[in-house]
Amino acid sequence: MDMPFISGRAALEDAAKLIETYGDDAGFEAAARAEDSRDRGNVIRFCHWRQIERVIATLSADEVGGTIH
């Protein structure tokens, strides 16, 4: 898996909140929020929630990604 760009602490906090609230369905919730933002024409929030969806997938992955030291 490619490492996602994480724009800052807020992205990690949003991902963590969704994981805490929705568990295994957190990615689906982020996708739903992205779709809602797109339907409203809010491109910035659409991109934000799509990024959160990728961060959730990374945080939930069982395998180690990236460089291992």
Side-chain angles (χ1 to χ4, degrees):
M1 170 188 288
D2 292 331
M3 295 304 294
F5 171 76
I6 300 174
S7 62
R9 190 165 196 73
L12 289 173
E13 288 173 357
D14 283 347
K17 285 178 190 174
L18 289 183
I19 291 170
E20 182 179 326
T21 304
Y22 296 97
D24 291 340
D25 293 330
F28 295 120
E29 179 63 23
R33 292 180 185 201
E35 185 176 328
D36 183 57
S37 295
R38 184 187 61 208
D39 291 346
R40 294 172 187 251
N42 190 335
V43 175
I44 293 172
R45 294 305 289 172
F46 168 76
C47 293
H48 172 78
W49 289 114
R50 288 288 295 156
Q51 178 188 24
I52 300 308
E53 187 179 357
R54 292 186 292 273
V55 172
I56 289 169
T58 300
L59 292 175
S60 301
D62 290 331
E63 68 275 353
V64 175
T67 304
I68 302 172
H69 297 281

